[in-house]
Amino acid sequence: MSATTTLEGVATLEEHADAPGGAAQAPGGDAVEASGGSPEAPKSPPVAKRRPRRVRALTLDDWLSLGGSVLASFALLYVGYLHLLDLSGTVGFLVCWYFVFLAVYGVVVAIANPRHIVVERLVAATLYLVAALVIFALASTVVYTFVEGWPAFRHLNFFTHDMAGVSTSAPLSQGGILHAIVGTLIMVGIAVVVAVPLGIGTAVYMTEVRGPGSHLIRTVVEAMTALSDILAGLFVYALLVVGFGLGKTGLAAAIAIAVTMLPLVARASEVALRIVPGSLRQASEALGATHWKTTWKVVLPSARAGLVTAGILAIARGIGETAVVLVTTGATSFFNANPVSEPMTSLPLFIFTAYQTHQPEALKRGFGAASVLLAMVLLLFVVARWIVRDKSGGERSRLLIVQRLFVRNVDDGETEQ
Amino acid sequence: MAVEEAVMEPGSVGRHAQGQRIPVPRASSVGPGPAPGAARLEAVDVSAWFGDTQVLDDVSLSVPPASVTALIGPSGCGKSTFLRILNRMHESVLGAKLAGEVLLDGDDIYAPGHRLTDVRRQIGMVFQKPNPFPAMSIADNVAAGLALTSTKVSKADRAELVESNLIRAGLWDEVKDRLSRPGAALSGGQQQRLCIARALAVQPKVLLMDEPCSALDPTSTRRIEDTIAELRSQVTIVIVTHNMQQAARVSEQAAFFLAEQGTPGAIVESGPTDDIFNNPRDPRTADYVHGRFG
Amino acid sequence: MTIDLLPPIGSGRQAVPRKLTSVRERSDRVFHGAAGAIGMVVLAVTAGIGLYLGYQAIPTLRHYGLSFFTQTQWLPELDRIGIAAVLVGTAEVALVAMVVSFPLALGLALFVSDYAPKWTKSWLVSAVDLMAAVPSIVYGLWGFFLLQPHAILVARWLSQYLGWIPIFQVGTDPNAAVWQQSRYTSSVFIAGLAVAMMTIPLATAVMRAVFDQAPIGEREAAMALGGTRFGVARTVVLPFGKGGIIGGTMLALGRALGETAAVLIIISPEYIIKPRILEAGTQTVSALIAGNFGNATKSQLTALLAAGFVLFVITLAVNSAAAVIIRRSRSGLATEA
């Protein structure tokens, strides 16, 4: 997985490396003051400050062409599709609408514009639609899950009871998923404690230490991202559960989850660490820092955004593991907080077994559990975004941080600006 | 004083901040289709921001047609930003804003109704670091502008176009036997001349050059300066340079930019190159030109 | 007349580089040792899994020989097992997922990197990452309960009008007034669509990361020549991102081959080699394993392990090829610091 930080054309601003990024283009202009708070005598008699002007890439003609084409194609299709060709189905209508719209829009744009503009408009329209389609699919998944899961949420016992002694077809006022929630938290917690340090440590070894065998490790780790989750589960089952006779426990599932997480964390962390510019490492070493100090105090904090993202994605993946848990521990209906004995169920497994019963009440509980699962993932994402929120400061300020970390006795007058 | 944002009606008389009158020609000269010949470029009260930080303050400059104008000054005072405003590249950066007008033969390129791609075709740019398209051959690189603006040319015309522009850029003799080799397989100076040929192929009226020789060796620099001298009559050229000797050699007009600490950049003094270098009016110009800072 | 030559620069002796040694600080030695140990542990564990699977697969392969790959049925009690049908089903589901997701992922990646309004970009990147993080079982539920009723209408349309293509045939009459809905459910097509929801974000993330790396100098050159956004994409971004496009697609393919939960929910197991992707019934390797391990005896377990090992080898080959392609390409070199 890639880190989610992006560089927005900062490379072109050689003179303004610290320009605050992410400021939205404000039409009509904000109050314009030169930044840098210290008051200085103005170099010329005060002139009324200019306001930025709105610069548009698209003209009124462009918007009208677009709107008109949308309406025209819809009208055309409405007549043709329903009445002339006597077809039916929403999906078909939408697909045909897209093609008719392209044709109409293409013709309209071609009236006043050269060919490369026509191509550009059609491509842009298509890409906007693709993005809308994918976002819509994602949104429908999230919304549908929450809508279907809402009935279960209205009962408090859903969160506080387990299913011991409650039949699967019992109404929602009985039973709950407490055991599944706890199971998920325990399993994923153990897996994270195992996989994340190992993964980041491996990444550090591959990028910072670069010792012997790091190339081999990288190849093997990349290969292991190919490991389907069911195979990791099968491995743990065959080796630990059956082979070593440890039985189906939560710990077995946690280990299997850790195995699937590990290559992801290692790979994503490696990418995050590689992106840290070499100049930071060199600056730190030039100040006399040991390799360990450089890594711990400079490189890792700089890569924090990518590392956190890697960790969050791995956790989200671990939370959603179904097949692994299915294979290494069993679905249970009773509460079990002990990972080393007795099977332990998790939310995804609970959902799956609920689905298998094909009973409406059980399905409602299943959707409720799915909603809880989805809410967990969403929460993780919000946390991740908050942690990596953009703190302004380009490379220059990062180098200053390196200086301040290591050089304590320096007199401010001597530090180079 | 409010900024005039309205498009100037052809045939009317406009005003810029100092109250001077500037006539506006009738026909719009910013539009699709080749219109050869160097053009007059005029910046009127241009200010620029990145986010909330103002980097240029009320810069006005008049660039006469078929001439070379140099923009000089220490680093970090907005010369490149100003240059990028001249061909509407500034707004491609997130958070970039501007005020003022840029008139190409009297027509404000920022007025609504002007297509970005047309403006950029008319006002070309050569960058500091040579950037030929590596996936294309030398010939394809020269013709890349045509492909990008879907200008149809016959095969014969295309070959002739490639040749003539490579000649204009002073590169033809060196590459005429290997036109199908990749564009990146050239030395730095050759790459930059290829970029110049590529920029010329779309027949711009103005060519902007952002420190085109700063990454090159002295010989290549010399070749490019010769090229600039030859192109002068065909294209209006604005060149940003750190090298004062280069500015003195190459340009007829120069503008000195300065940004004092904490304030946005502005033009301190502009005028004929000889005056700027030998007889500057402002003491800061004299200091810079004599190498006392920057 | 002799010319007075200037003395040559340099001492005239042959310079020999000196050996550089430095004493590593203690903290660094500990650091390197610890990191190395971690690396070795991870190497052992990850390699160990592959080796273990292979080791366990041997008795099965020896017992059944080549027929393991040609037998379509999975009837352990009759000692007749083979993964031919299962492999074909896996390939079909993965292919449907890729055919659907490739254009969408490419379009979305280009949209996010070049077309989306700049302030929306980080939200879109997060949305794509979120899409990748949604558990596959949730997509399974969505696919089965929400998507399927609509998708079978599309399937019916396809078999109605494109039914002359063998893969779109279904064994019932699509033109009947009351058409058999159940023949269109639980098919490769529907499973493929659900898997596509998981492959799209993966491919998009890789492609978008690569597109963002396209050298800004070339982008600006294309823009300065008067290129439109698509012109810039065509001239600079897409050629640069070729490696990422192919690599991202192959990584997504690897994911599609191994997907378990969603497939398990949607399909109904059927063990024949069938090119008809719209028709009900298919089976994939991962669904086979997940569905059958519970009742498996020791020998059946090794058979499942053998099937898993085959899947592992295939996915490994795909992912390794993807990694090589990405690394060798221009975009990979750019990130290789």
Side-chain angles (χ1 to χ4, degrees):
Chain A
M1 287 293 171
S2 54
T4 52
T5 49
T6 54
L7 298 173
E8 310 279 1
V10 179
T12 58
L13 315 175
E14 306 97 10
E15 309 106 281
H16 300 279
D18 291 0
Q25 182 144 5
D30 298 321
V32 173
E33 297 285 329
S35 69
S38 52
E40 283 182 47
K43 64 174 171 38
S44 56
V47 168
K49 292 282 186 188
R50 298 236 171 255
R51 294 162 59 102
R53 67 187 288 183
R54 192 191 237 128
V55 171
R56 284 193 207 90
L58 294 175
T59 64
L60 182 64
D61 177 62
D62 293 324
W63 288 109
L64 288 178
S65 304
L66 181 64
S69 302
V70 169
L71 292 174
S73 53
F74 182 79
L76 198 63
L77 201 60
Y78 187 74
V79 171
Y81 192 78
L82 292 180
H83 298 286
L84 287 178
L85 292 178
D86 198 25
L87 299 168
S88 63
T90 336
V91 175
F93 184 81
L94 290 173
V95 171
C96 289
W97 190 12
Y98 168 68
F99 286 108
V100 173
F101 164 73
L102 278 189
V104 171
Y105 191 40
V107 168
V108 168
V109 173
I111 293 175
N113 294 294
R115 194 171 140 257
H116 66 290
I117 299 289
V118 175
V119 168
E120 162 67 20
R121 297 265 180 268
L122 291 178
V123 167
T126 304
L127 291 185
Y128 268 93
L129 285 173
V130 162
L133 178 66
V134 175
I135 301 290
F136 173 71
L138 173 64
S140 75
T141 311
V142 172
V143 168
Y144 178 70
T145 307
F146 281 126
V147 163
E148 292 291 316
W150 178 243
F153 273 39
R154 307 228 320 266
H155 302 265
L156 192 60
N157 54 290
F158 188 65
F159 296 104
T160 52
H161 290 189
D162 60 26
M163 293 295 289
V166 178
S167 93
T168 49
S169 53
L172 289 174
S173 49
Q174 294 177 17
I177 57 168
L178 180 67
H179 58 312
I181 296 179
V182 166
T184 297
L185 291 174
I186 292 180
M187 282 189 240
V188 174
I190 297 177
V192 164
V193 162
V194 168
V196 170
L198 279 183
I200 295 185
T202 310
V204 166
Y205 183 69
M206 286 195 281
T207 56
E208 305 300 316
V209 175
R210 263 176 272 184
S214 48
H215 223 81
L216 177 65
I217 296 180
R218 178 182 295 153
T219 317
V220 171
V221 163
E222 264 179 22
M224 293 317 284
T225 56
L227 192 67
S228 160
D229 47 359
I230 186 98
L231 295 177
L234 199 59
F235 166 73
V236 170
Y237 178 73
L239 186 64
L240 296 178
V241 175
V242 174
F244 284 3
L246 292 177
K248 293 179 157 201
T249 61
L251 184 62
I255 293 178
I257 294 178
V259 165
T260 46
M261 271 184 174
L262 185 57
L264 286 178
V265 176
R267 244 265 218 79
S269 307
E270 194 210 346
V271 171
L273 287 175
R274 255 211 311 234
I275 285 182
V276 174
S279 54
L280 283 183
R281 293 187 187 86
Q282 287 175 2
S284 172
E285 288 186 3
L287 287 165
T290 63
H291 200 186
W292 161 245
K293 256 239 167 93
T294 304
T295 306
W296 183 248
K297 282 201 177 255
V298 177
V299 178
L300 285 178
S302 297
R304 194 181 55 161
L307 290 176
V308 166
T309 311
I312 299 272
L313 287 176
I315 296 177
R317 174 85 190 261
I319 284 184
E321 281 295 343
T322 316
V324 168
V325 186
L326 173 68
V327 170
T328 54
T329 170
T332 69
S333 52
F334 49 88
F335 181 89
N336 175 19
N338 185 351
V340 292
S341 78
E342 301 282 340
M344 186 190 276
T345 191
S346 74
L347 282 169
L349 187 56
F350 179 86
I351 299 170
F352 182 65
T353 46
Y355 160 80
Q356 277 183 321
T357 65
H358 294 295
Q359 285 168 355
E361 296 298 319
L363 272 175
K364 283 191 202 158
R365 275 198 208 91
F367 271 107
S371 305
V372 172
L373 204 56
L374 211 50
M376 279 185 187
V377 170
L378 284 171
L379 182 66
L380 279 174
F381 258 76
V382 168
V383 167
R385 263 190 87 90
W386 183 81
I387 289 181
V388 305
R389 67 190 181 279
D390 182 39
K391 293 183 176 156
S392 68
E395 179 145 323
R396 219 195 290 171
S397 67
R398 267 185 275 176
L399 286 169
L400 285 176
I401 292 174
V402 170
Q403 267 190 334
R404 282 193 208 114
L405 277 175
F406 294 106
V407 188
R408 265 163 250 240
N409 314 334
V410 73
D411 184 355
D412 265 0
E414 288 172 24
T415 53
E416 212 190 87
Q417 283 306 314
Chain B
M1 209 185 306
V3 175
E4 272 143 312
E5 290 191 35
V7 178
M8 299 197 191
E9 290 295 299
S12 70
V13 175
R15 235 172 238 287
H16 66 70
Q18 273 86 353
Q20 292 156 279
R21 288 163 170 261
I22 38 175
V24 178
R26 287 197 183 273
S28 165
S29 49
V30 181
R40 158 180 292 277
L41 194 61
E42 188 130 15
V44 180
D45 293 339
V46 167
S47 304
W49 294 261
F50 286 113
D52 290 330
T53 312
Q54 186 172 9
V55 299
L56 283 177
D57 191 20
D58 271 1
V59 173
S60 294
L61 183 67
S62 178
V63 178
S67 70
V68 180
T69 303
L71 306 181
I72 61 175
S75 62
C77 52
K79 306 190 296 294
S80 287
T81 308
F82 178 69
L83 199 73
R84 289 165 61 89
I85 287 180
L86 294 181
N87 71 341
R88 292 192 71 167
M89 291 287 287
H90 173 74
E91 63 207 56
S92 68
V93 177
L94 179 69
K97 303 178 212 156
L98 77 141
E101 289 140 14
V102 175
L103 308 174
L104 179 70
D105 280 339
D107 209 348
D108 182 14
I109 61 175
Y110 282 95
H114 286 131
R115 205 184 310 290
L116 254 179
T117 54
D118 287 334
V119 168
R120 291 175 184 162
R121 204 185 54 70
Q122 310 250 303
I123 304 176
M125 185 175 250
V126 173
F127 297 84
Q128 182 173 356
K129 186 167 171 293
N131 46 27
F133 299 129
M136 297 186 184
S137 67
I138 293 176
D140 285 339
N141 256 287
V142 178
L146 300 172
L148 281 168
T149 54
S150 60
T151 316
K152 286 258 182 272
V153 279
S154 67
K155 237 178 169 174
D157 282 342
R158 190 169 177 277
E160 203 227 293
L161 203 99
V162 168
E163 180 179 341
S164 66
N165 283 298
L166 283 172
I167 292 175
R168 280 165 98 192
L171 189 61
W172 174 249
D173 285 326
E174 288 163 60
V175 299
K176 61 183 177 215
D177 321 315
R178 42 183 176 134
L179 288 177
S180 52
R181 294 269 234 90
L186 295 171
S187 76
Q190 290 171 326
Q191 283 186 10
Q192 190 66 301
R193 277 177 280 150
L194 177 61
C195 293
I196 294 175
R198 179 180 64 185
L200 291 173
V202 293
Q203 304 204 304
K205 299 180 185 173
V206 180
L207 186 61
L208 307 174
M209 306 179 99
D210 191 354
E211 298 189 47
C213 303
S214 64
L216 305 179
D217 58 279
T219 320
S220 306
T221 305
R222 215 42 194 296
R223 299 286 291 271
I224 290 182
E225 286 178 13
D226 292 340
T227 304
I228 294 176
E230 284 161 19
L231 289 172
R232 175 201 319 257
S233 56
Q234 305 162 32
V235 191
T236 308
I237 296 181
V238 181
I239 174 168
V240 168
T241 178
H242 267 138
N243 185 337
M244 282 181 288
Q245 289 74 29
Q246 179 175 80
R249 280 194 293 269
V250 139
S251 65
E252 290 131 11
Q253 187 187 231
F256 172 55
F257 277 75
L258 190 60
E260 269 147 19
Q261 187 157 21
T263 64
I267 290 185
V268 170
E269 188 175 341
S270 70
T273 308
D274 277 337
D275 286 353
I276 296 284
F277 279 92
N278 302 325
N279 202 5
R281 281 169 300 182
D282 196 296
R284 293 169 291 184
T285 317
D287 282 345
Y288 179 73
V289 157
H290 293 126
R292 276 176 227 138
F293 72 90
Chain C
M1 187 159 57
T2 55
I3 300 169
D4 215 347
L5 288 171
L6 292 168
I9 306 173
S11 62
R13 288 177 303 168
Q14 179 71 15
V16 175
R18 63 183 289 181
K19 248 197 163 76
L20 294 174
T21 54
S22 63
V23 178
R24 270 246 135 82
E25 292 229 10
R26 182 135 174 277
S27 67
D28 270 356
R29 271 182 289 153
V30 169
F31 171 50
H32 285 203
I38 291 180
M40 291 306 140
V41 163
V42 169
L43 180 64
V45 168
T46 50
I49 296 177
L51 293 172
Y52 178 78
L53 283 177
Y55 173 68
Q56 290 292 328
I58 294 178
T60 308
L61 291 173
R62 217 173 334 156
H63 180 93
Y64 294 100
L66 221 57
S67 73
F68 190 65
F69 294 97
T70 53
Q71 169 68 258
T72 56
Q73 294 180 310
W74 190 272
L75 301 163
E77 55 278 8
L78 296 181
D79 199 33
R80 236 204 318 237
I81 62 169
I83 55 173
V86 173
L87 278 183
V88 170
T90 309
E92 284 177 353
V93 169
L95 269 174
V96 169
M98 294 319 299
V99 163
V100 168
S101 59
F102 176 74
L104 292 181
L106 184 60
L108 186 58
L110 192 59
F111 177 76
V112 173
S113 84
D114 278 76
Y115 279 80
K118 302 246 172 66
W119 60 271
T120 62
K121 193 156 167 182
S122 71
W123 290 102
L124 283 171
V125 172
S126 290
V128 170
D129 283 343
L130 179 67
M131 198 172 167
V134 169
S136 58
I137 190 155
V138 172
Y139 284 127
L141 290 178
W142 169 84
F144 188 81
F145 289 107
L146 184 64
L147 179 69
Q148 186 159 255
H150 294 90
I152 56 179
L153 297 175
V154 175
R156 177 182 167 221
W157 186 92
L158 281 173
S159 72
Q160 247 182 326
Y161 294 101
L162 297 176
W164 45 273
I165 307 174
I167 59 172
F168 290 144
Q169 280 169 4
V170 180
T172 121
D173 180 14
N175 292 308
V178 179
W179 52 286
Q180 265 186 303
Q181 294 195 359
S182 60
R183 290 302 290 157
Y184 295 87
T185 60
S186 305
S187 63
V188 166
F189 177 60
I190 313 240
L193 288 179
V195 173
M197 290 293 280
M198 286 167 266
T199 55
I200 287 176
L202 183 55
T204 304
V206 173
M207 293 186 200
R208 198 253 340 144
V210 158
F211 290 163
D212 277 347
Q213 301 261 359
I216 190 146
E218 285 174 43
R219 272 184 201 251
E220 292 201 325
M223 279 162 53
L225 287 168
T228 57
R229 281 177 303 188
F230 182 59
V232 172
R234 209 168 21 108
T235 318
V236 177
V237 180
L238 290 176
F240 177 80
K242 248 189 332 223
I245 295 176
I246 299 177
T249 307
M250 294 182 78
L251 281 175
L253 176 64
R255 172 79 199 264
L257 288 170
E259 173 50 39
T260 315
V263 173
L264 203 52
I265 288 186
I266 291 177
I267 63 170
S268 64
E270 210 176 273
Y271 294 93
I272 59 173
I273 294 185
K274 174 162 68 168
R276 298 177 181 177
I277 61 174
L278 299 175
E279 199 172 71
T282 182
Q283 182 64 298
T284 69
V285 174
S286 35
L288 167 75
I289 297 175
N292 286 311
F293 90 99
N295 322 322
T297 64
K298 205 82 191 262
S299 66
Q300 287 166 6
L301 192 59
T302 55
L304 290 175
L305 278 166
F309 180 66
V310 173
L311 175 67
F312 173 61
V313 167
I314 294 176
T315 327
L316 180 66
V318 169
N319 272 33
S320 302
V324 166
I325 290 177
I326 291 181
R327 212 178 298 149
R328 285 254 178 94
S329 70
R330 249 194 98 200
S331 26
L333 289 171
T335 53
E336 204 64 39

